[in-house]
Amino acid sequence: MPLTANGDGAPVIDQARFRHVLGRYPTGVVVVTALDATGTALGMTVGSFTSVSLDPPLVAFLPDKSSSSWRALRESGERFCVNVLAAAQEDVCRAVAMRKTDKFHDIGWRPSPAGNPIIDGAVAWIDCVTEQLHDAGDHQIVVGRVEHLQLGDDDTPLLFHRGAYGTFTPH
């Protein structure tokens, strides 16, 4: 499909095509959690999560600037926990991704060392404090310094690929 140029000569990429092409790249699925001032669990489902640095230990996720879940997490403070979902937790992924107030009504969790929700059954969890925020188009890049992390009981993560959830089977 040919590209057109905008007023300054830069190519204009169709958003649907962009999503379709990048959908060929599988991503892990995480839920970023925190507690609000009243102690209520907050969370958002994220497919754009990555390790950044070993020294110091840094990770990053990229929330949409217009997300109400991101706004609530940001307003809760500087601390958050990244929960790597297990292959059997698509229901958790979908429940947290919905726009509703009590996302954790039917989701079991316990507090991390920093007090953030660790979702029962997660493959791993990573407790962080926000190190940096960067603007990046319609998203932000949130860089977190890792303070605590732990593996869960299951080692098969939930993946998102080509618009669907699934898992990975090694050769």
Side-chain angles (χ1 to χ4, degrees), residues 31-113:
V31 171
V32 178
T33 60
L35 294 177
D36 70 10
T38 68
T40 301
L42 304 170
M44 72 181 299
T45 299
V46 175
S48 52
F49 169 75
T50 190
S51 63
V52 175
S53 169
L54 289 173
D55 186 19
L58 301 173
V59 296
F61 69 98
L62 288 74
D64 187 316
K65 288 179 185 177
S66 67
S67 165
S68 59
S69 295
W70 169 231
R71 183 174 53 254
L73 282 166
R74 198 174 57 240
E75 291 171 356
S76 73
E78 298 297 313
R79 300 195 176 280
F80 61 91
C81 186
V82 177
N83 293 263
V84 180
L85 296 185
Q89 291 184 303
E90 183 178 338
D91 59 334
V92 172
C93 169
R94 291 182 184 281
V96 175
M98 292 180 63
R99 294 178 191 234
K100 60 181 184 177
T101 52
D102 188 8
K103 294 181 179 194
F104 289 84
H105 174 72
D106 292 324
I107 299 172
W109 63 273
R110 66 188 185 284
S112 71

